[in-house]
Amino acid sequence: MKTNQTILQSVKSVALITAAFLVTALPVTRAQDQTITTVAGSTDDWAFFGDGGPATEAGFSEIVGVAVLPDGGFLIADAANNRIRKVDANGIVTTVAGNGLGFRHAYSGEGGPATQAVVWYPTGVAPMADGGFLVAGYGHQRLFKVDPQGTLTTVVQPSYAWSIKPLTGGGFVVPSYPGIYTLDANGGNFTTVVANHGADDVPYGVAATTDGGYLYTDTYRHRVLKAKTDGTITVVAGTGVEGFSGDGGPATAARLAYPWDVLALPDGGFLLSDYVNHRIRKVDANGIITTVAGNGIARDAGDGGSPLAASIPWPTALAATADGGYLIGEWNGRVRKVSPAFIIVAIDIKPGTYPNSINLGSKGTVPVAILSSDAFDATTIDPSTVTLAGAPIKVANNGRFLASAQDVDGDGRLDLIVHVDTTALALTGDEDLAILEGQTWAGQLIRGTDSVRLVP
């Protein structure tokens, strides 16, 4: 078994030497209308401070696990600080497990407050339905449970688990050595699901797939593997040779450099954090790989812009957010968020009229046509999700949304006509554009804009 901190330091040393050769021009697919921001971590790398204040002003050290909470907050495995930290929905960070002691300190704290326990190098964390959470404590080779009252207990020992991820139907999946295991929703019933995963060491990342299989990283062989339900194990990304290549082609012909984590996507594809390449890469359902975030440069930069233009140093953990985006843990002490991608749709405010004059005091409704095209069917939109300048679709007395399908522009396609409450429009006299947002029944986000003119 490789020791965690020795390996991490050696990987980073290799990465620093080779980084100059990995920053190359990339043939990548544009991540349309996505933005990247920092949601935890400051400019001070490898530090501990900031509890009780904004997470973006706090110090972290070797973030190797992240997990999203139901309220929009998230948990962080702050490994080198020997703590689990929580960022609440308002962006405030606190420590929820670990007293900061770790290396050369014996395990202590069983049955007591989690914040007073010695939790050496925690590498994975996952929330539980009851408000507690599970922790992969790699340093002491234990799986911990912290209940809603903050009491810490050991679930499994020994455990070489590095990460722990939730399963869609409840429960958790844990990659360990030599196999992959599951736990039930209460953190019990430790069950083998893959007896021998065949990776060189404990997989850092794991994800259950919609077909019942498991994706996991073979980090030190620069590959991603998949264990299928029939027991077979196949390579789904990487050649086994360290490097960067292959965007736009088969993932199995692409070179990776210490892939860290994987995140399964609903369409059958997956994301992977390409650690030494400083990129997030996507393998689609057809097995084609592209870069979707990161420009290959090992420094934090690019917040507020496209994730493809941003620098994402040492990306580790991945976690999906409820809005269709994802979180990226960075080994040097930050968490970044990539916002969801929108389909850009054509809209026509007050169809057939120009200019689109609106009197905010009229106490009426504003009709808006969302237009279908060859690439998009507007009738697949869920009316309950649609807003125009922050105003929702008006609901009739019978409880139904004021929405209907008709061919507005005469192109033979059904468009969606919605009516929004004029008084709810968040517009001022300085604005000349209104933004419509919503999503389809399948969860795809949409966005469109049209001109407006406010009149008294």
Side-chain angles (χ1 to χ4, degrees):
M1 296 294 295
K2 296 180 174 68
T3 59
N4 56 323
Q5 289 181 317
T6 301
I7 290 296
L8 289 170
Q9 294 291 349
S10 66
V11 170
K12 188 171 184 187
S13 298
V14 172
L16 288 170
I17 296 170
T18 61
F21 299 99
L22 299 174
V23 181
T24 56
L26 307 181
V28 295
T29 301
R30 179 172 178 261
Q32 187 178 30
D33 294 320
Q34 290 184 325
T35 56
I36 188 168
T37 55
T38 296
V39 291
S42 67
T43 57
D44 293 278
D45 298 341
W46 296 286
F48 174 77
F49 57 86
D51 269 6
T56 51
E57 298 176 7
F60 300 84
S61 185
E62 298 178 20
I63 293 175
V64 294
V66 291
V68 175
L69 295 169
D71 65 358
F74 53 96
L75 298 168
I76 296 173
D78 193 5
N81 282 325
N82 305 303
R83 292 175 169 93
I84 300 296
R85 298 169 81 183
K86 175 183 176 181
V87 178
D88 68 19
N90 297 314
I92 303 302
V93 64
T94 54
T95 294
V96 291
N99 63 7
L101 298 178
F103 183 58
R104 294 183 179 175
H105 288 82
Y107 168 68
S108 66
E110 183 76 14
T115 53
Q116 297 178 21
V118 175
V119 181
W120 176 23
Y121 213 83
T123 50
V125 62
M128 302 180 71
D130 64 2
F133 55 91
L134 296 174
V135 179
Y138 189 82
H140 284 128
Q141 298 179 2
R142 295 171 183 252
L143 278 176
F144 300 110
K145 177 180 178 179
V146 178
D147 69 18
Q149 289 72 45
T151 301
L152 181 143
T153 54
T154 298
V155 174
V156 178
Q157 183 197 16
S159 168
Y160 300 107
W162 183 275
S163 63
I164 180 167
K165 298 291 183 69
L167 294 170
T168 302
F172 306 89
V173 58
V174 181
S176 188
Y177 197 87
I180 296 174
Y181 309 90
T182 58
L183 298 170
D184 63 25
N186 297 314
N189 194 23
F190 198 70
T191 304
T192 301
V193 290
V194 178
N196 191 332
H197 50 59
D200 182 50
D201 198 49
V202 175
Y204 287 174
V206 67
T209 58
T210 55
D211 61 5
Y214 298 94
L215 294 166
Y216 53 96
T217 53
D218 189 1
T219 300
Y220 299 99
R221 291 185 179 137
H222 316 292
R223 306 182 302 175
V224 177
L225 306 180
K226 181 176 181 179
K228 298 181 180 180
T229 53
D230 63 3
T232 60
I233 295 174
T234 58
V235 177
V236 291
T239 63
V241 177
E242 178 187 357
F244 176 79
S245 68
D247 270 4
T252 51
R255 289 192 178 187
L256 313 176
Y258 298 93
W260 195 287
D261 200 4
V262 284
L263 176 63
L265 300 174
D267 64 1
F270 61 92
L271 299 179
L272 66 93
S273 51
D274 202 354
Y275 179 74
V276 174
N277 283 326
H278 314 297
R279 295 176 171 95
I280 306 301
R281 301 174 79 178
K282 176 182 178 181
V283 178
D284 69 17
N286 297 314
I288 303 301
I289 191 170
T290 54
T291 294
V292 293
N295 60 13
I297 300 173
R299 61 182 176 86
D300 278 291
D303 274 2
S306 165
L308 284 171
S311 299
I312 305 174
W314 323 108
T316 55
L318 298 170
T321 55
D323 62 3
Y326 56 96
L327 299 180
I328 306 168
E330 293 180 1
W331 196 64
N332 64 323
R334 288 177 181 79
V335 178
R336 312 283 284 280
K337 180 181 179 181
V338 175
S339 69
F342 290 86
I343 289 178
I344 302 303
V345 298
I347 68 171
D348 188 4
I349 296 174
K350 302 182 73 172
T353 67
Y354 185 85
N356 301 321
S357 300
I358 296 176
N359 180 354
L360 296 179
S362 67
K363 298 183 180 180
T365 63
V366 177
V368 184
I370 307 173
L371 305 177
S372 293
S373 66
D374 286 338
F376 180 71
D377 181 1
T379 65
T380 63
I381 295 171
D382 176 1
S384 70
T385 66
V386 175
T387 61
L388 178 71
I393 296 178
K394 193 171 182 64
V395 178
N397 292 333
N398 63 4
R400 295 185 178 182
F401 291 98
L402 291 180
S404 61
Q406 54 184 287
D407 185 4
V408 174
D409 53 4
D411 64 356
R413 303 183 184 93
L414 285 177
D415 308 304
L416 186 67
I417 300 287
V418 299
H419 296 262
V420 300
D421 188 345
T422 305
T423 60
L425 292 167
L427 295 171
T428 68
D430 296 328
E431 294 171 301
D432 58 3
L433 281 178
I435 299 174
L436 179 141
E437 293 184 343
Q439 66 183 54
T440 66
W441 292 104
Q444 173 63 59
L445 299 168
I446 64 161
R447 176 182 288 165
T449 60
D450 196 9
S451 62
V452 293
R453 187 182 69 161
L454 300 185
V455 296

